[in-house]
Amino acid sequence: MTTEHDKLLRSVDRPSRYIGDEFGLPPLLENPGLRVALSFPDVYEVGMSHLGFRLLHAGLLELRDQGIQVERVFLPWPDMQAQLTAQGLPLCTLEGQTPLTDMDLLGLSVAYELAYPAVLKMLDLAGIPRLAADRAAAPESYPLVLLGGSAALNPEPLAPFVDLVFLGEADRGLPELVQTLAACADAPRKQQLEQLGALPGIYVPEWVEVTHAPDSLALEVTCHRPGYLPVRRQVMEDLDNLPVPPLHLVPGCALIHDRVVVEIQRGCSQGCRFCQAGYVSRPTRQRSEQQVKDEARRQLAQTGYQDLSLLSLSAGDHPRLMPMLAGLIAEHGPANVGVSLPSLRTETLDPEVAQEIGKVRKTTFTLAPEAATDRLRRVINKQNTEQDLLDAVEGVIRSGYNRMKLYFMMALPTETD
């Protein structure tokens, strides 16, 4: 960390957010041929809790032998933002304290729409012009700005501010994009966009003109490159072929989700009307039981965590959930490693699941009724009933739990006081 940035740590909350140098992080390259900043526009402990961000980071670290350096950057807390502004210091990467203006590519992983303003804030703090057109016209060079993540599937809200958008799951597509950019790193920006825009799933906003109504509804789409549209969303068809990180970082401070996380399934076939993820992550794909066990074993050994979470939009739909749970708990339970699941649907809860999870330690069991009445649940296309909830709660209590968390949504359409 530079001396100037180092001084700021004495006057901000949780300086561990900005130190980096986590266990498992490889050293920086001495003379990289391409510099990539991978960003999550939220604070460190939120960004490093996001499995998708960590998988992308691990995938890009695999390109080190090709002279490609990847560094991370997160949105500072308001106290650090104020300090950077007051001292006239730019937002820098976590690993090398490299100003973002010195990077070749700035990749922004945006998981939710509330992060849109944070994208602009990060550009401001870095000293990078917000508008892509202003960056293209500037005499100095700026990094190409790439947008990705589930909140980028409608790219138009941020289209004026980015050069490229990756549509869909970037597990394999992002490394390919970075390798392509490395091959044309010395070319003019226009030629770089030509090369990158030819890749699957890459949307170049400046090639497309969208006319909007006064209420922002898109009225007409005009493409200036024949045959370019439509750009197809990319999907990782086989989860057993996911890139597997060789080493998992142990964060320097407590994260929001501070545990080993293994993805067991993508997609969901429920079609709930409130759930974006259930639509944009289709089709439903399962990871094999053996690979889940192998990945859990590897991560637990490398990190020393005592908690393992199996990640899925709807874990109860995995056809091998029960034998998978039983195997993981039998293997890791003697070492006091607890296994947890995301919130489960009340109508699919198998009492054996609660009993199995509670064998090591009983914490809080989470269910998702979603709405308070059967009528409201039908409005949002949820099929569970109040009796399903009561039966699920009874089964959880019989398994020995005395704490429970229930997820409800408020202000649903047609809801009354």
Side-chain angles (χ1 to χ4, degrees):
M1 179 169 285
T2 65
T3 303
E4 293 81 4
H5 285 81
D6 184 53
K7 292 177 181 177
L8 302 184
L9 298 182
R10 306 169 191 171
S11 55
V12 298
D13 182 41
R14 299 196 74 177
S16 53
R17 289 170 169 149
Y18 313 105
I19 294 175
D21 199 27
E22 301 99 324
F23 174 77
L25 188 69
L28 295 174
L29 299 175
E30 290 188 6
N31 296 297
L34 189 80
R35 293 180 181 271
V36 178
L38 187 62
S39 167
F40 194 93
D42 211 319
V43 290
Y44 174 89
E45 55 265 41
V46 174
M48 286 299 291
S49 294
H50 194 275
L51 180 61
F53 179 83
R54 297 187 70 162
L55 289 176
L56 293 178
H57 177 238
L60 293 182
L61 284 175
E62 293 290 277
L63 306 181
R64 285 168 45 82
D65 59 351
Q66 302 174 34
I68 296 171
Q69 175 66 53
V70 57
E71 302 176 42
R72 293 160 297 154
V73 60
F74 301 95
L75 180 70
W77 198 250
D79 58 356
M80 178 60 91
Q81 294 181 27
Q83 290 287 339
L84 290 173
T85 302
Q87 301 299 321
L89 296 174
L91 179 62
C92 295
T93 61
L94 193 65
E95 285 83 350
Q97 284 301 302
T98 309
L100 298 191
T101 50
D102 292 345
M103 308 304 283
D104 299 295
L105 178 70
L106 171 58
L108 295 152
S109 182
V110 183
Y112 31 83
E113 287 80 0
L114 288 176
Y116 287 167
V119 169
L120 304 186
K121 186 64 177 179
M122 293 187 77
L123 294 176
D124 291 346
L125 290 170
I128 297 175
R130 287 182 174 184
L131 293 173
D134 291 344
R135 297 193 296 271
E140 62 269 51
S141 63
Y142 290 100
L144 290 177
V145 178
L146 169 70
L147 180 69
S150 56
L153 284 171
N154 173 15
E156 289 311 309
L158 287 176
F161 310 105
V162 300
D163 302 291
L164 303 154
V165 183
F166 191 101
L167 300 178
E169 299 170 2
D171 301 88
R172 295 201 181 279
L174 183 58
E176 182 185 6
L177 182 146
V178 169
Q179 291 171 313
T180 302
L181 180 58
C184 61
D186 297 328
R189 176 182 177 276
K190 182 177 179 181
Q191 186 175 332
Q192 290 178 341
L193 293 182
E194 295 272 355
Q195 295 286 324
L196 299 175
L199 297 174
I202 301 300
Y203 175 65
V204 183
E206 69 178 55
W207 294 350
V208 179
E209 182 180 350
V210 181
T211 304
H212 295 276
D215 62 356
S216 298
L217 182 69
L219 293 179
E220 185 178 5
V221 177
T222 304
C223 181
H224 302 299
R225 295 178 66 85
Y228 173 60
L229 295 181
V231 178
R232 302 292 183 185
R233 174 177 66 95
Q234 299 301 291
V235 174
M236 190 74 185
E237 295 181 353
D238 186 354
L239 296 193
D240 282 346
N241 286 328
L242 280 173
V244 178
L247 191 63
H248 296 268
L249 300 186
V250 178
C253 66
L255 304 181
I256 300 299
H257 299 301
D258 206 15
R259 52 185 176 258
V260 164
V261 179
V262 178
E263 186 179 26
I264 65 171
Q265 179 175 273
R266 285 187 191 177
C268 178
S269 59
Q270 296 301 309
C272 305
R273 295 192 176 103
F274 61 87
C275 182
Q276 180 205 44
Y279 289 89
V280 302
S281 61
R282 291 183 179 186
T284 303
R285 293 145 286 156
Q286 286 83 30
R287 208 170 185 180
S288 69
E289 179 183 348
Q290 187 58 53
Q291 196 183 75
V292 170
K293 291 180 178 179
D294 291 345
E295 181 65 8
R297 185 182 305 118
R298 212 160 55 84
Q299 286 200 49
L300 289 168
Q302 290 180 354
T303 62
Y305 275 113
Q306 293 294 104
D307 294 286
L308 165 65
S309 180
L310 303 182
L311 181 65
S312 169
L313 284 173
S314 183
D317 292 338
H318 195 292
R320 297 288 298 170
L321 180 62
M322 271 306 302
M324 190 188 304
L325 277 175
L328 289 168
I329 291 169
E331 180 178 356
H332 304 290
N336 200 35
V337 173
V339 181
S340 63
L341 295 172
S343 60
L344 295 168
R345 303 203 315 275
T346 58
E347 75 275 23
T348 61
L349 177 64
D350 185 338
E352 291 185 25
V353 171
Q355 294 173 10
E356 198 66 45
I357 293 175
K359 283 183 177 179
V360 178
R361 72 177 79 98
K362 293 179 173 65
T363 54
T364 301
F365 204 92
T366 306
L367 295 170
E370 309 293 8
T373 67
D374 288 347
R375 185 192 68 80
L376 271 176
R377 282 188 280 270
R378 288 192 295 272
V379 166
I380 60 175
N381 202 31
K382 297 291 289 188
Q383 306 304 317
N384 56 303
T385 65
E386 184 171 329
Q387 190 59 51
D388 291 326
L389 173 60
L390 297 175
D391 292 343
V393 169
E394 183 175 353
V396 170
I397 292 173
R398 284 180 175 174
S399 299
Y401 289 83
N402 56 21
R403 287 194 297 173
M404 190 172 300
K405 183 193 299 179
L406 302 179
Y407 282 152
F408 289 95
M409 287 179 289
M410 298 177 65
L412 291 170
T414 77
E415 184 178 309
T416 64
D417 288 340

